[in-house]
């Protein structure tokens, strides 16, 4: 039977291109390859189209591969698009992707696509006109006015008239100011005084460079904020509204901004919303009515508020909701027992049937519903935990669960609570926004005893970061239970979690590290001034202050004088830490390099980290579009070889097993105090992040290893280290194939 070629279109020409890239990557990860051939298509900001190589697909930011597209990606044109694909899964967001522009092009080319057509797409991106139409049909919307770019240009001279118009409409401070043609909260501000109004409208008007647009000034609705996904039935004749999600913004914030939407663990989301059944039904009924009024097709996300009197106010209808791994789309679908692949299959098939293209199982694989003849490997994925990195662990664990092949593995998601208890959670909890939210939803029937794991699984995949998950504790427990697991054993895990002790070992092997000094809390409290003098003499300024046993840039600070030093140390100790590590600030090219192997070590191509403020922030590491990693690093081949050999030496010296990510600096002869080029090791991460866009996936992709294959390799290395008997389903000696990859 024919295999449907699904082109996943991402990137685009809007300011939401990073969110789009995140959505597109997720769709590619979860498309059912037994039914569909996945064709990643990237649109550059200038409109050029490329078939995206898989080694670029899992980058964290478009800038990480943008300058390589022309040389390494296949350039295609619109006219020939149908020779590569049969259907477009639109993952573009904002201007040109959701506003009817793309839909018009695809209609012209007779290529079917996901979602609403030209008119509806254009209407739903125009926040001014959609309000007019909804109001005419009796749907409550925020009251406000719209300014055109000419009015914005002379706003200071007409501000009094604008304020009078708002007062006439009985709209008082605070106001919501937003562009009429953008999404993802970009350009949105809350104005609490008239003095802020001019700056806010100009910001919204020009948020999209060189494209001035109308600006809405609206009342700020008080009530329960919600977002509700609706999907069409299989025959696309009716709407099925999913369970609405309640959004509670962070304390001190005025609205659900970009960072709270996309940064792991930010804000609070409750699915279903914490309200009466009657209110839930009112939200769902209103959203379905909005879909019908605006003629939305196949899928929608409707955002709004429920006022204290029960009135449902619609703020923003979306024809193509965000599709990140933990987005509202997948979160709400999980409440209806639909996994990511289930939902994507449903949307594609619904669209095809609605267009009269798909009949019965025209594009279904003969093997799509057949179980693998061989026995599946039972794998528990551990995530959550007790550390400051638990939200990143949730992102890693969820990604591992989704990427492990269902044909090879039976995956059991095990959430680790803040007290290190185990709970077997379902798809509904797996897509929750934060570990706090998951933990509050656990019930006794989900509890799993540690001593029972060996009866449930063949292998444990540790996706924990920091704390007891990475410091040898979990490793020791699994050794006691005689369960194979991924990554380093007890000693290497415990050693590398303590940056100071690991530094002592590496120095003993002749490996360069920054000058370091470890400060104990009880000593600091009695000798602050003397210690500051000692640190200034021994290490100098600028210096780096950080916990000796945390990762993900938690509490890492750069200080330039004794007062900043003292303040930074106090901050770390205020978080229940007993030690603080002070390090020399190294000048050079910051690198992060994955290393894999058991009896041997093989360094992946290094990534060059670019930090805006000198130190990589957690946002630069994990927020879509923030930060930049260049893979391979912009160094000479000799410098890259030196970096790889150095991290391989460090990996072996620390006794690492399986895989690790090592952070370091490359210094030229001019930068190095030794007068010779060198590589300075910062830290070894024995359980590096495995989030969808993590650096180690970039690096593996550069040598042809997909994220899915990389996870397979980690598991094989774990089995090889822990298993002593031969198995037909497990490669027990993977080092030789690894060598072949690096030739």
């Amino acid at each position: 039977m024919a295999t449907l070629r699904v082109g996943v279109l991402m990137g685009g020409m809007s300011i939401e291109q990073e969110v789009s890239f995140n959505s597109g990557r997720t769709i590619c990860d979860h498309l059912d390859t037994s039914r569909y051939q996945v064709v990643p298509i990237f649109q550059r900001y200038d409109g050029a189209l490329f078939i995206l190589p898989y080694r670029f697909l899992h980058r964290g930011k478009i800038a990480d591969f943008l300058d390589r597209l022309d040389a390494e990606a296949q350039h295609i044109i619109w006219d020939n698009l149908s020779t590569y694909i049969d259907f477009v899964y639109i993952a573009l967001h904002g201007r040109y992707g959701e506003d009817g522009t793309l839909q018009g092009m695809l209609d012209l080319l007779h290529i079917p696509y996901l979602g609403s057509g030209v008119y509806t797409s254009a209407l739903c991106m125009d926040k001014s006109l959609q309000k007019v139409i909804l109001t005419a049909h009796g749907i409550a919307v925020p009251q406000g006015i719209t300014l055109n770019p000419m009015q914005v240009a002379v706003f200071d001279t007409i501000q009094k008239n604008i304020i009078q118009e708002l007062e006439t409409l009985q709209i008082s401070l605070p106001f919501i100011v937003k562009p009429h043609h953008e999404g993802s909260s970009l350009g949105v501000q809350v104005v609490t005084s008239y003095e802020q109004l001019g700056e806010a409208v100009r910001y919204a008007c020009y948020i999209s460079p060189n494209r001035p647009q109308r600006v809405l000034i609206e009342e700020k609705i008080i009530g329960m904020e919600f977002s509700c996904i609706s999907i069409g039935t299989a025959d696309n004749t009716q709407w099925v509204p999913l369970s609405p999600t309640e959004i509670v913004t962070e304390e001190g914030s005025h609205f659900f901004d970009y960072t709270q939407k996309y940064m792991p663990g930010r804000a609070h989301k409750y699915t279903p919303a914490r309200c009466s059944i009657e209110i839930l039904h009112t939200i769902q009924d209103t959203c379905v009515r909005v879909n019908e009024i605006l003629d939305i097709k196949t899928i929608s996300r409707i955002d709004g508020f429920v006022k204290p009197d029960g009135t449902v106010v619609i703020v923003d209808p979306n024809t193509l909701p965000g599709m990140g791994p933990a987005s509202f789309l997948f979160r709400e679908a999980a409440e209806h027992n639909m996994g990511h692949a289930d939902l994507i299959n449903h949307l594609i098939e619904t669209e095809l049937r609605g267009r009269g293209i798909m009949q019965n199982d025209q594009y279904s694989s003969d093997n799509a519903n057949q179980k693998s003849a061989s026995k599946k490997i039972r794998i528990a994925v551990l995530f959550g935990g007790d550390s400051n990195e638990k939200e990143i662990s949730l992102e890693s664990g969820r990604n591992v669960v989704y990427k492990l092949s269902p044909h090879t593995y039976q995956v059991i998601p095990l959430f680790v609570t803040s007290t290190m208890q185990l709970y077997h959670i379902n798809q509904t909890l797996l897509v929750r926004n934060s570990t706090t939210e998951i933990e509050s939803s656990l019930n006794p029937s989900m509890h799993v005893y540690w001593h029972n794991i060996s009866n449930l699984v063949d292998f444990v995949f540790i996706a924990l970061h920091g704390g007891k998950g990475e410091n040898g504790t979990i490793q020791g427990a699994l050794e006691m239970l005689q369960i194979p697991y991924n990554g380093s054993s007890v000693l290497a895990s415990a050693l590398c979690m303590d940056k100071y002790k690991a530094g002592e070992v590496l120095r003993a092997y002749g490996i360069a590290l920054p000058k370091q000094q470890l400060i104990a809390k009880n000593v600091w409290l009695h000798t602050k001034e003397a210690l500051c003098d000692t640190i200034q003499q021994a290490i100098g300024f600028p210096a780096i202050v950080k916990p000796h046993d945390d990762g993900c840039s938690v509490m890492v600070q750069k200080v330039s004088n004794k007062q900043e030093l003292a303040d930074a140390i106090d901050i770390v100790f205020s978080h229940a830490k007993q030690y603080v590590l002070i390090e020399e600030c190294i000048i050079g090219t910051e690198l992060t390099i994955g290393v894999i192997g058991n009896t041997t070590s093989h360094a992946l191509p290094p990534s060059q980290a670019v930090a805006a403020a000198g130190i990589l922030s957690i946002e630069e590491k994990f927020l879509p579009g923030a930060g930049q990693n260049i893979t391979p690093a912009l160094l000479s081949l000799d410098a890259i070889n030196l970096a790889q050999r150095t991290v391989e030496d460090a990996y072996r010296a620390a006794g690492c097993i399986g895989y690790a990510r090592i952070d370091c600096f490359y210094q030229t002869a001019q930068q190095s105090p030794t007068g010779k080029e060198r590589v300075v090791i910062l830290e070894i991460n024995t359980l590096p992040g495995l989030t969808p866009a993590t650096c180690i996936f970039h690096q593996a992709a550069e040598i042809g290893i997909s994220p899915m294959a990389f996870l397979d390799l980690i598991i094989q290395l774990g089995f090889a280290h822990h298993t002593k008997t031969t198995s037909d389903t497990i490669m027990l000696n993977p080092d030789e194939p690894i060598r072949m990859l690096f030739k």
Side-chain angles (χ1 to χ4, degrees):
M1 292 190 181
T3 300
L4 187 76
R5 299 171 302 171
V6 176
V8 181
L9 183 54
M10 66 193 88
M13 298 186 287
S14 83
I15 58 176
E16 295 183 67
Q17 58 180 290
E18 295 291 353
V19 179
S20 166
F21 181 52
N22 191 33
S23 290
R25 177 176 56 231
T26 304
I27 300 306
C28 289
D29 282 349
H30 296 289
L31 268 169
D32 187 347
T33 54
S34 68
R35 297 187 182 194
Y36 310 117
Q37 178 185 341
V38 185
V39 184
I41 300 174
F42 180 80
Q43 185 182 39
R44 198 165 56 191
Y45 195 73
D46 62 1
L49 295 177
F50 300 88
I51 295 179
L52 196 67
Y54 267 84
R55 62 182 175 275
F56 295 164
L57 185 61
H58 293 86
R59 299 300 173 97
K61 187 178 183 180
I62 292 170
D64 292 347
F65 60 82
L66 190 60
D67 61 346
R68 298 171 61 185
L69 281 173
D70 286 317
E72 300 181 45
Q74 181 182 356
H75 183 268
I76 60 176
I77 61 173
W78 287 110
D79 302 74
N80 295 336
L81 186 59
S82 61
T83 64
Y84 301 101
I85 62 169
D86 305 303
F87 178 86
V88 173
Y89 197 113
I90 303 175
L92 297 182
H93 300 306
R95 192 185 296 266
Y96 298 116
E98 286 183 84
D99 63 359
T101 306
L102 172 63
Q103 290 75 10
M105 174 60 81
L106 294 175
D107 283 345
L108 179 68
L109 299 173
H110 305 290
I111 300 176
Y113 54 87
L114 177 70
S116 299
V118 174
Y119 166 74
T120 297
S121 298
L123 174 61
C124 289
M125 272 300 289
D126 190 315
K127 294 178 172 59
S128 301
L129 185 56
Q130 68 179 228
K131 287 174 60 177
V132 172
I133 293 175
L134 292 176
T135 300
H137 284 81
I139 301 294
V141 298
Q143 296 300 301
I145 63 174
T146 302
L147 306 179
N148 62 46
M150 292 184 63
Q151 290 173 300
V152 173
V154 296
F155 185 82
D156 291 343
T157 62
I158 65 172
Q159 181 168 352
K160 288 184 179 179
N161 296 334
I162 299 299
I163 293 172
Q164 287 177 356
E165 187 176 354
L166 292 167
E167 290 174 345
T168 300
L169 293 172
Q170 298 183 333
I171 301 173
S172 58
L173 292 166
F175 305 136
I176 297 289
V177 177
K178 60 186 179 184
H180 91 112
H181 205 76
E182 307 293 349
S184 294
S185 298
L186 293 167
V188 180
Q189 288 188 337
V190 174
V191 171
T192 57
S193 70
Y194 291 125
E195 290 74 20
Q196 300 171 337
L197 194 53
E199 181 181 349
V201 297
R202 284 186 285 271
Y203 176 70
C205 180
Y206 297 102
I207 187 64
S208 189
N210 304 317
R211 300 187 186 108
Q213 59 187 291
R214 286 176 284 161
V215 176
L216 284 74
I217 305 175
E218 295 180 339
E219 63 177 321
K220 188 177 188 297
I221 305 297
I222 304 301
M224 182 190 77
E225 186 171 2
F226 70 84
S227 188
C228 182
I229 299 288
S230 298
I231 58 176
T233 54
D235 58 5
N236 219 354
T237 60
Q238 298 182 49
W239 283 104
V240 178
L242 304 182
S243 301
T245 298
E246 175 188 357
I247 302 162
V248 180
T249 56
E250 295 174 344
E251 186 176 352
S253 64
H254 297 291
F255 69 100
F256 192 39
D257 59 23
Y258 182 90
T259 301
Q260 292 181 69
K261 283 185 175 181
Y262 301 113
M263 190 67 188
R266 299 292 294 272
H268 295 286
K269 294 115 179 177
Y270 300 93
T271 310
R274 300 172 301 172
C275 58
S276 67
I277 295 296
E278 291 75 20
I279 292 294
L280 283 176
H281 288 164
T282 300
I283 293 171
Q284 292 173 317
D285 293 344
T286 304
C287 292
V288 168
R289 190 154 172 251
V290 169
N291 292 336
E292 293 169 346
I293 292 167
L294 300 178
D295 199 25
I296 298 174
K297 301 296 184 185
T298 308
I299 185 171
S300 74
R301 192 193 79 230
I302 310 297
D303 301 334
F305 286 83
V306 180
K307 298 172 73 172
D309 64 1
T311 302
V312 175
V313 181
I314 299 302
V315 173
D316 192 13
N318 297 269
T319 56
L320 288 171
M323 302 169 195
S327 63
F328 293 127
L329 173 65
F330 296 122
R331 179 190 184 96
E332 294 179 16
E335 291 290 322
H336 296 255
N337 296 316
M338 296 181 75
H340 289 46
D342 299 326
L343 177 63
I344 293 167
N345 284 344
H346 173 83
L347 293 174
I348 294 174
E349 292 167 10
T350 297
E351 193 65 64
L352 293 174
R353 287 194 178 97
R355 293 173 180 265
I357 297 171
M358 182 174 183
Q359 302 296 329
N360 299 321
D361 296 324
Q362 178 181 352
Y363 291 109
S364 296
S365 167
D366 290 334
N367 299 319
N369 297 314
Q370 295 180 7
K371 292 184 178 180
S372 173
S374 60
K375 183 181 178 182
K376 293 182 180 179
I377 301 171
R378 301 173 302 167
I379 291 192
V381 180
L382 305 188
F383 54 94
D386 66 344
S387 79
N388 290 319
E389 302 175 62
K390 58 187 177 182
E391 303 303 336
I392 306 306
S393 170
L394 171 57
E395 292 290 309
S396 289
R398 179 162 46 213
N399 190 48
V400 171
V401 170
Y402 292 152
K403 282 190 170 64
L404 289 175
S405 170
H407 304 296
T408 305
Y409 306 109
Q410 178 187 341
V411 184
I412 301 172
L414 289 183
F415 178 74
V416 185
T417 69
S418 55
T419 57
M420 301 305 289
Q421 297 185 65
L422 295 177
Y423 285 80
H424 182 188
I425 65 172
N426 56 23
Q427 175 70 19
T428 300
L429 291 183
L430 184 61
V431 296
R432 293 299 172 91
N433 180 63
S434 67
T435 57
T436 301
E437 190 180 343
I438 293 175
E439 196 153 346
S440 67
S441 303
L442 300 174
N443 64 64
S445 67
M446 303 175 185
H447 184 248
V448 175
Y449 288 104
W450 284 97
H451 80 268
N452 280 340
I453 298 181
S454 58
N455 299 322
L456 299 175
V457 303
D458 306 305
F459 187 92
V460 168
F461 196 112
I462 309 171
L464 299 166
H465 304 310
K468 296 182 179 68
E470 200 169 354
N471 69 1
T473 301
I474 291 293
Q475 291 76 11
L478 294 175
E479 294 279 0
M480 179 62 71
L481 296 169
Q482 301 182 61
I483 303 173
Y485 58 90
N486 59 303
S488 293
S489 296
V490 178
L491 176 56
S493 298
L495 174 66
C496 293
M497 197 62 206
D498 188 317
K499 297 177 178 65
Y500 185 74
K501 288 185 173 64
E504 289 183 317
V505 170
L506 296 180
R507 283 192 188 91
Y509 280 91
I511 296 169
L513 280 92
K515 290 182 285 186
Q516 295 177 324
Q517 189 156 349
L518 190 68
I519 306 297
K521 184 176 182 178
N522 61 337
V523 177
W524 169 254
L525 293 176
H526 296 96
T527 58
K528 289 186 179 184
E529 187 172 344
L531 280 175
C532 285
D533 290 337
T534 300
I535 292 167
Q536 183 178 16
Q537 293 171 5
I539 294 178
F541 293 115
I544 304 298
V545 178
K546 59 186 178 183
H548 78 299
D549 60 353
D550 256 316
C552 290
S553 300
V554 174
M555 291 179 277
V556 178
Q557 302 161 83
K558 184 177 181 179
V559 299
S560 300
N561 55 57
K562 287 196 292 186
Q563 185 58 55
E564 291 180 1
L565 173 65
D567 293 342
I569 293 174
D570 284 336
I571 288 172
V572 176
F573 282 140
S574 70
H575 287 79
K577 295 292 184 181
Q578 297 303 309
Y579 294 93
V580 171
L581 184 62
I582 318 298
E583 283 187 344
E584 169 191 9
C585 183
I586 302 295
I587 304 301
T589 301
E590 186 170 2
L591 304 174
T592 185
I593 308 175
V595 185
I596 56 177
N598 284 354
T599 58
T600 58
S601 57
H602 305 271
L604 297 170
S607 295
Q608 180 175 339
V610 180
I615 298 177
L616 280 175
S617 66
I618 192 169
E619 288 78 14
E620 287 176 309
K621 289 184 176 182
F622 300 108
L623 182 65
Q628 183 178 359
N629 286 286
I630 303 169
T631 310
L634 301 177
L635 296 173
S636 68
L637 183 59
D638 287 343
I640 286 176
N641 287 335
L642 174 63
Q644 289 178 311
R645 301 296 82 78
T646 304
V647 297
E648 288 173 354
D649 291 344
Y651 185 89
R652 290 191 296 269
C656 295
I657 294 293
Y659 69 116
R661 194 196 75 237
I662 300 180
D663 300 335
C664 59
F665 273 89
Y666 166 77
Q667 290 186 314
T668 64
Q670 292 73 30
Q671 293 169 326
S672 171
T674 67
K676 297 180 180 180
E677 67 171 346
R678 65 173 186 164
V679 174
V680 182
I681 301 296
L682 295 183
E683 62 179 278
I684 301 175
N685 299 273
T686 54
L687 288 175
L690 294 173
T691 60
T694 189
C695 283
I696 205 163
F697 285 151
H698 311 178
Q699 297 166 13
E702 284 293 316
I703 60 169
I705 307 175
S706 71
M708 298 75 171
F710 187 70
L711 295 178
D712 286 338
L713 182 57
I714 290 173
I715 292 167
Q716 292 164 3
L717 287 164
F719 269 122
H721 179 67
H722 294 281
T723 307
K724 305 304 180 186
T725 57
T726 303
S727 168
D728 293 333
T729 60
I730 300 164
M731 183 178 68
L732 292 179
N733 193 13
D735 278 333
E736 184 58 35
I738 291 174
R739 287 191 195 94
M740 298 301 294
L741 288 170
F742 284 81
K743 283 190 174 180

